[in-house]
Amino acid sequence: MWSKETVAGRPAWRHAPSGVVFREVPGGTFRMGLSDEELGALRAIDAADASDDSLEYFLADATRMRPVREVRVGPFLLARHPLTVAQTRHWLPDYEDDFAESDDTVARVKDDDLDAVLEALPFRLPSEAEWEYAARAGTTTLTFRGDGVPDEDEILDVFADEKRVAASENAFGLAAMGCANEVCADVWTPHFENAPSDARPRTGDGPRAVRGGGGDLSPWQGCDEWLLLLSAFRSELDMFTAIRPVAPLPVTGGREAPAGPASRRPTVTDPSQQHRHMNTLCMLRMLHSHH
């Protein structure tokens, strides 16, 4: 079922039936959320006019990424990149994606397809804490690359070019973190008040939280889409999403660890609604301009 391999010079686990490559994320503690230092970095970018527009609209909404707290995370396996169209078809053979460039493009699933894939996956979704811990990979800056404004050249959503995939990896060997909006196990809550100090997802009814999404707006139109690449950025699931699954750590002796309790499937909102994730930044900027 699992094979231990070296991928791009790093240890990896490959799920043989689907071909999905997982990296082992070591356990540890980290400061989750948009820190005061990161807020300072954003204000410095704003003061230097390095963004497309004033960031006040974004800073005013930063409560959704706060308060910052220390979180304990146990070790786990996380897919090296979000599931591609081809990988999704392993569990959903009839899956089609009219917007995908190729079968190696990240699969953005929605509605019944999302429910069907999550039902068929032998894996679970990451919690928000696990996702952010994995995205930061030991860093405390806006992205794992630092406090500068990310460039659109950092966007990756087609995984056929191994050299580009490897160049996109962070210190944990995870590629394209923040490029696609990736669904998490947590129900959407517009802040971190009373959130657990371990990596458990927050449960309840309603849409789920998603992380990332910089590639969903590519080519960028000048609404500061780079903000979606921030390790702390989070929004509410609406319509489509990418999936980056979590697997338990394989154990030796020919036996595998159980998959653990399955996360509740995300509730997908009415597809007739405007896609909030795709328009969050532009809508906030427009609202700010009218104040």
Side-chain angles (χ1 to χ4, degrees):
M1 182 68 77
W2 293 96
S3 62
K4 187 73 176 288
E5 302 181 11
T6 299
V7 177
R10 303 172 187 264
W13 290 93
R14 186 182 300 273
H15 181 247
S18 65
V20 178
V21 173
F22 288 80
R23 298 289 197 189
E24 181 173 344
V25 178
T29 62
F30 79 115
R31 298 283 290 170
M32 182 175 179
L34 192 69
S35 68
D36 291 342
E37 292 76 15
E38 289 171 291
L39 283 170
L42 288 170
R43 291 191 177 100
I45 290 170
D46 196 28
D49 291 328
S51 59
D52 295 313
D53 201 358
S54 170
L55 295 183
E56 285 305 314
Y57 70 95
F58 183 80
L59 295 171
D61 201 44
T63 53
R64 69 168 57 194
M65 294 167 273
R66 292 168 67 85
V68 175
R69 70 194 191 287
E70 186 171 278
V71 180
R72 300 183 304 276
V73 182
F76 60 98
L77 294 184
L78 184 64
R80 186 189 186 201
H81 56 71
L83 296 182
T84 64
V85 171
Q87 290 168 344
T88 301
R89 286 185 183 139
H90 174 76
W91 291 285
L92 197 65
D94 296 331
Y95 174 70
E96 296 292 340
D97 189 334
D98 294 336
F99 298 99
E101 179 179 317
S102 70
D103 287 354
D104 295 309
T105 300
V106 59
R108 293 174 170 88
V109 295
K110 62 178 182 177
D111 305 336
D112 293 341
D113 283 347
L114 177 56
D115 288 342
V117 173
L118 293 179
E119 182 70 26
L121 279 176
F123 312 120
R124 63 175 177 86
L125 294 175
S127 67
E128 281 201 80
E130 288 172 328
W131 193 98
E132 186 174 327
Y133 177 75
R136 290 186 179 277
T139 64
T140 58
T141 47
L142 293 175
T143 73
F144 77 92
R145 299 179 189 274
D147 280 330
V149 176
D151 191 273
E152 193 168 8
D153 289 342
E154 296 176 19
I155 294 295
L156 181 65
D157 62 1
V158 181
F159 301 99
D161 185 340
E162 175 56 31
K163 183 178 288 189
R164 280 208 68 200
V165 177
S168 175
E169 291 182 338
N170 64 17
F172 288 162
L174 301 167
M177 295 297 290
C179 291
N181 60 323
E182 300 179 20
V183 65
C184 294
D186 301 62
V187 68
W188 169 252
T189 307
H191 51 72
F192 287 143
E193 293 287 349
N194 301 317
S197 59
D198 57 23
R200 288 173 299 162
R202 290 183 287 180
T203 59
D205 295 323
R208 288 312 190 225
V210 297
R211 290 304 194 103
D216 297 328
L217 293 174
S218 183
W220 290 352
Q221 304 299 308
C223 288
D224 292 316
E225 293 92 337
W226 58 270
L227 291 164
L228 280 73
L229 292 171
L230 303 190
S231 297
F233 181 83
R234 56 192 300 268
S235 58
E236 180 180 351
L237 172 63
D238 186 28
M239 292 187 69
F240 70 80
T241 187
I243 299 171
R244 188 189 297 252
V246 167
L249 294 172
V251 295
T252 57
R255 185 171 57 87
E256 295 181 18
S263 301
R264 291 188 54 197
R265 291 177 295 172
T267 300
V268 181
T269 54
D270 184 348
S272 66
Q273 296 177 1
Q274 186 180 29
H275 184 8
R276 286 189 291 274
H277 177 79
M278 291 285 287
N279 293 282
T280 296
L281 295 171
C282 290
M283 287 175 66
L284 283 171
R285 191 173 79 170
M286 287 187 293
L287 286 171
H288 176 75
S289 69
H290 288 297
H291 283 78

